[in-house]
Amino acid sequence: MADNRPIGVFDSGLGGLTVVKALQSLLPSESIMYLGDTARVPYGNKSKKLIESYSTEITAFLSGKGCKVIVVACNTASSQAMGVLQDAFSIPVIGVIEPGVSMAITTSKNGHIGVIGTVATIESNAYETALKNQNENVIVLNQPCPLFVPLVEEGWTTGDVPKLVADTYLKGMNADSVDTIILGCTHYPLLKEIIQSAANNGTTLIDSAEAVAMEVKRVLSKNDLIAENKSTGPLDCYVTDVPLRFEGLARQFLGSNIEHVSTVSIH
Ligand code: DGL
């Protein structure tokens, strides 16, 4: 039987729209309800306790709106709060870590895998733990890249400044012959070209947005939750604050304009 309830997707801000874009392309008839916690972004430098509490509030909001699954489209929230969310809610909660990890393991030829993300994501060790759980022989190189998020938010995704920053961050991975790098942050797919040009030749970048969309499709099929809308499913967008330059930023991450956006208070 078809299930036309929306897929709930949340992120600390607007970066999770990269995951919405991947979902819309893989599952076009699904309705999506997105919440960007724009009033409290960034999560990447906050404590585990606070990230857990923000993520729980948002998941309660989305499941209260009737979402059939929740996609934690934020690497920082996925690395810090999956345990509490999966314990507290009965609907499936899907994070971005495991899908990206599986793709990296099958992609890497020499078993040297790099992970880049916010400080909170890297310090949580969530990626390294998940990678080692799938293959204990992989060598994992972790690198926090805190300057990447503000560069993307400022629209500095090409040119000398992001290139110099990327060269500096990737030096250690290149020296260690990493052949696969997980883009462990919602914002990094927008820096793909710069990161690719800073990495050793032949390095594969893993975009967790695409990997998580495939995992959502798998979970929906397995649980008989696939929608059967005849037309393209709508996107309902909620934010906790409408930031300056909202439209441009949203377009940057989603690749198209957002038609409807509502401001909500969730705490
Ligand atoms: N969405 C966050 C992530 O994917 C990046 C922005 C933030 O620090 O909140 O890690």
Side-chain angles (χ1 to χ4, degrees):
M1 237 187 55
D3 190 328
N4 287 343
R5 289 177 297 161
I7 297 173
V9 182
F10 81 86
D11 177 39
S12 54
L14 300 176
L17 290 168
T18 53
V19 173
V20 171
K21 187 178 172 192
L23 284 169
Q24 285 179 326
S25 141
L26 192 69
L27 297 161
S29 45
E30 295 291 336
S31 308
I32 297 176
M33 192 173 281
Y34 180 83
L35 189 132
D37 196 3
T38 41
R40 303 188 290 197
V41 69
Y43 286 7
N45 54 9
K46 294 195 167 70
S47 69
K48 180 175 174 66
K49 204 166 157 233
L50 201 56
I51 296 165
E52 283 179 342
S53 118
Y54 289 174
S55 302
T56 304
E57 287 171 356
I58 296 168
T59 304
F61 172 84
L62 290 171
S63 67
K65 291 261 178 204
C67 291
K68 57 186 172 186
V69 293
I70 301 295
V71 181
V72 186
C74 173
N75 291 259
T76 304
S78 293
S79 69
Q80 302 281 348
M82 283 305 286
V84 289
L85 298 182
Q86 284 173 334
D87 286 349
F89 296 91
S90 54
I91 52 175
V93 181
I94 301 162
V96 285
I97 309 270
E98 295 289 340
V101 160
S102 304
M103 208 182 234
I105 295 271
T106 49
T107 301
S108 178
K109 294 199 170 56
N110 68 4
H112 290 224
I113 298 176
V115 181
I116 55 178
T118 64
V119 173
T121 296
I122 297 302
E123 286 192 352
S124 74
N125 259 329
Y127 271 107
E128 178 152 6
T129 307
L131 282 161
K132 296 264 186 204
N133 278 345
Q134 287 199 23
N135 181 346
E136 59 183 6
N137 297 320
V138 290
I139 292 166
V140 185
L141 277 291
N142 293 292
Q143 177 64 54
C145 303
L147 291 177
F148 279 169
V149 167
L151 280 171
V152 170
E153 302 247 326
E154 289 302 322
W156 286 33
T157 52
T158 55
D160 293 345
V161 174
K163 177 70 166 74
L164 181 64
V165 174
D167 283 341
T168 309
Y169 283 148
L170 265 52
K171 213 176 271 171
M173 295 193 176
N174 286 339
D176 254 295
S177 305
V178 155
D179 74 348
T180 304
I181 297 177
I182 300 177
L183 304 179
C185 175
T186 48
H187 286 55
Y188 299 0
L190 280 97
L191 288 166
K192 246 184 204 171
E193 276 178 32
I194 285 284
I195 296 169
Q196 192 76 67
S197 70
N200 284 342
N201 277 345
T203 303
T204 304
L205 303 184
I206 303 293
D207 181 343
S208 32
E210 287 164 15
V212 80
M214 286 191 256
E215 174 62 6
V216 173
K217 187 174 182 188
R218 194 191 65 77
V219 171
L220 292 182
S221 305
K222 189 175 142 218
N223 294 288
D224 230 354
L225 294 172
I226 294 275
E228 260 178 27
N229 290 317
K230 289 203 173 57
S231 51
T232 309
L235 167 62
D236 275 331
C237 185
Y238 294 90
V239 289
T240 48
D241 180 43
V242 179
L244 298 176
R245 299 178 296 141
F246 168 79
E247 278 170 21
L249 270 174
R251 201 176 323 111
Q252 197 183 352
F253 290 116
L254 188 63
S256 57
N257 288 334
I258 293 205
E259 307 284 325
H260 309 286
V261 61
S262 316
T263 309
V264 282
S265 176
I266 46 159
H267 41 91

